[in-house]
Amino acid sequence: DIQMTQSPASLSVSVGETVTITCRASENIYSNLAWYQQKQGKSPQLLVYAATNLADGVPSRFSGSGSGTQYSLKINSLQSEDFGSYYCQHFWGTPYTFGGGTKLEIK
Amino acid sequence: DVQLQESGPGLVKPSQTVSLTCTVTGISITTGNYRWSWIRQFPGNKLEWIGYIYYSGTITYNPSLTSRTTITRDTSKNQFFLEMNSLTAEDTATYYCAREDTTGYFDYWGQGTTLTVSS
């Protein structure tokens, strides 16, 4: 199975700051990567697919980048509604696997 | 609008078998270019993909669960199902169904159903 290592596990950031979350795959996943946001008690919601494409309705302050085994999700000018957990997931063959998550707390 | 809704018994005893249902509205599960997955999230928030059923009926499982997992569907009711046997406390989780666009992403998720395995 492809292992997805996500970092950091948690962080506390002030509104207006910029945040970068990283995800490293154990092998090349050829940009077959998605990012999700999950609020407490809710299901995950798609943010980014194919490493760099924003899902419909996702604010432009979110952006995805990366290739090969290294990927990142950047949130510019953090808003209070951005708190929650973030997960990466690869789609380069089954079994699909997820990163361990990043819990984002707003200071 | 596409919506998915899970349902299940909530509580089962160890060694028992559980059946979960995902009811899909807004699109037929036989519509091309989509896969219909089951995913679970453990206490502590780790996510695990369980398996999917393709629009054509082809099924793929996570090898770690294939021996005790069955995914089926009822196209007349636009539902798909997850059956898991030999349950242990380690199967306690929130179970989600989700639609996968074959481009590679889960774009619609159900709200989840909690399954607790306990005597």
Side-chain angles (χ1 to χ4, degrees), chain A residues 89-107:
Chain A
Q89 182 205 359
H90 85 83
F91 282 91
W92 184 243
T94 58
Y96 305 142
T97 54
F98 292 83
T102 296
K103 188 171 184 178
L104 183 59
E105 178 189 77
I106 308 298
K107 277 185 184 175

Side-chain angles (χ1 to χ4, degrees), chain B residues 30-95:
Chain B
T30 60
T31 298
N33 297 324
Y34 296 110
R35 301 182 183 115
W36 302 91
S37 275
W38 287 98
I39 298 157
R40 62 182 179 176
Q41 186 167 34
F42 300 101
N45 295 323
K46 177 184 174 182
L47 287 157
E48 180 178 54
W49 173 77
I50 298 169
Y52 65 62
I53 185 164
Y54 201 24
Y55 74 95
S56 61
T58 302
I59 299 164
T60 299
Y61 298 108
N62 189 322
S64 69
L65 295 168
T66 190
S67 64
R68 56 191 190 95
T69 301
T70 304
I71 295 174
T72 57
R73 67 181 182 177
D74 183 337
T75 56
S76 68
K77 295 182 178 179
N78 216 39
Q79 295 175 324
F80 64 105
F81 311 98
L82 172 68
E83 185 176 278
M84 189 174 290
N85 58 40
S86 304
L87 292 169
T88 72
E90 286 65 47
D91 295 308
T92 293
T94 297
Y95 286 73

Side-chain angles (χ1 to χ4, degrees), chain A:
Chain A
D1 299 1
I2 296 174
Q3 305 303 313
M4 305 300 292
T5 303
Q6 194 174 331
S7 62
S10 64
L11 69 167
S12 181
V13 185
S14 298
V15 170
E17 292 187 0
T18 294
V19 167
T20 299
I21 300 167
T22 63
C23 189
R24 176 171 50 86
S26 59
E27 63 184 79
N28 193 337
I29 58 171
Y30 301 95
S31 296
N32 287 275
L33 183 99
W35 290 95
Y36 302 90
Q37 178 193 62
Q38 186 178 31
K39 298 287 185 76
Q40 185 67 33
K42 302 291 187 181
S43 55
Q45 294 210 326
L46 178 68
L47 292 174
V48 173
Y49 64 95
T52 61
N53 296 281
L54 284 187
D56 290 345
V58 174
S60 59
R61 63 180 180 273
F62 290 88
S63 63
S65 64
S67 62
T69 62
Q70 301 277 358
Y71 299 87
S72 60
L73 175 71
K74 186 177 181 181
I75 313 172
N76 287 311
S77 189
L78 201 72
Q79 302 298 300
S80 58
E81 60 265 30
D82 298 334
F83 77 93
S85 294
Y86 291 82
Y87 298 90
C88 61
Q89 182 205 359
H90 85 83
F91 282 91
W92 184 243
T94 58
Y96 305 142
T97 54
F98 292 83
T102 296
K103 188 171 184 178
L104 183 59
E105 178 189 77
I106 308 298
K107 277 185 184 175

